[in-house]
Amino acid sequence: MARKPLDYEELNENVKKVRYAVRGELYLRASELQKEGKKIIFTNVGNPHALGQKPLTFGRQVVALCQAPFLLDDPHVGLMFPADAIARAKHYLAMAKGGLGAYSDSRGIPGIRKEVADFIHKRDGYPTDPELIYLTDGASKGVMQILNTIIRNERDGILVPVPQYPLYSASISLYGGSLVPYYLEEEANWSLDFVNIRQTVVEARSKGITVRAMVIINPGNPTGQCLSEANIKEVLQFCYHENLVLLADEVYQQNVFQDERPFISARKVMFDMGPPLSRELQLVSFHTVSKGNWGECGQRGGYFEMTNLPPKTVDEIYKVASIALSPNVPGQIFMGVMVNPPKPGDISYPKFAAESKSVHESLRRRARMMTDGFNSCRNVVCNFTEGAMYSFPQIRLPPRAIEAAKRAGKAADVFYCLKLLEATGISTVPGSGFGQKEGVFHLRTTILPAEEDFPAIMSSFKKFNDSFMEQYEGYSRM
């Protein structure tokens, strides 16, 4: 019998090349165990509300009123909703002709893009054009759209930090390009080594790869480091001299848990540096409502901003965005509320400020608790989580454990994480899913479990880890 078009053997080879560890073998096994009745702590993905984070009230009030505009006609609406939430809902409904059930402009609602532009101007001190801001279904869709625009064939390479968020490796595979990894230096707090990065580009070019773009993730995922202004200047100068587009993934800009290196956008640093770089370097920046204090992953709100892209290129990006007709409208409204939150003097401001502070301060404490917890374990070393939502400890596996993994047909870190899952119910992601140096092993976990659960979670991890190390080697603080 002839093979059918959707038989596995006949599928697009690029689809079959995609790997996405965050929802890979560990996640599938955890889901099976959960169905069998085992309690699972899903720390595999940065999904704050799934792990108990409460939504910020103001955004939900505004979107609730936009979703059910008939509530605005109820004479008692003021008893249920504060006046500023009511006013904001009317503000967005006036922009969204047909309400939330109608398509918007393919680039997003113009008025909300203007709010994003105002947010960027206030953050960076430099104005931007709303026509160069596109709203998207989460930042991921924006990243995929821009990668699809850049990658022409398998000889086009994208420089991606390793360890990296697998959105990049998966999307580059899907679009038929080549991932060019540049390794972050774990011993120097996951810093960038430009001697190695330049060598990486030289080697890629020697193989016939045209390196066209560089990705930075700041704060880092999965590594949790925050780039200094000096780091970002080096990145910008490198991209300028090598004629690369810079893709700045800045979705964790609100998640900063130390004071030495506050978040600073690549765009701000670029304009601070002045011409010719500020007028010529092509930059695309990404942000989302899924992270920060909002954590509204399921709402799928995001944006990308384009700097120094030619008008014809912007037109082509608009054309491709138009294929999907419209980003989801509730997610756009969440983006509007995120970039234009209640201000001092507004009725909702005290509650909004208190809720935001509570979330941020708890995450900051959890970042410290998790780092300290990992560093108290045998053969585990972990850099402090300066930002984002993750810890990425190195697990120094004994040779006998590596051999046992080989016999089981598993990568060594997958073997360790599966054992951890079975013993404790803690679902993590093996470091191999993000890329790591040969012979070095990690896992990624979020810092998102409820703060009151942290002592028990870290105690459970420590008990498992120390028993595992004892079983396969005995104590060895390498």
Side-chain angles (χ1 to χ4, degrees), residues 198-265:
R198 288 186 179 89
Q199 185 60 35
T200 296
V201 171
V202 169
E203 290 175 3
R205 288 171 176 162
S206 73
K207 297 173 184 175
I209 293 173
T210 302
V211 182
R212 287 171 55 82
M214 179 176 184
V215 174
I216 57 169
I217 307 174
N218 181 39
N221 176 12
T223 45
Q225 85 286 8
C226 295
L227 295 180
S228 67
E229 184 174 354
N231 292 153
I232 297 169
K233 281 183 178 179
E234 283 189 286
V235 169
L236 292 164
Q237 288 165 340
F238 176 78
C239 289
Y240 180 70
H241 290 300
E242 298 293 339
N243 194 28
L244 306 178
V245 181
L246 178 59
L247 307 182
D249 182 333
E250 298 174 334
V251 301
Y252 296 100
Q253 60 190 259
Q254 207 173 37
N255 297 107
V256 176
F257 309 126
Q258 42 71 44
D259 301 320
E260 292 75 25
R261 279 180 301 284
F263 171 78
I264 182 169
S265 74

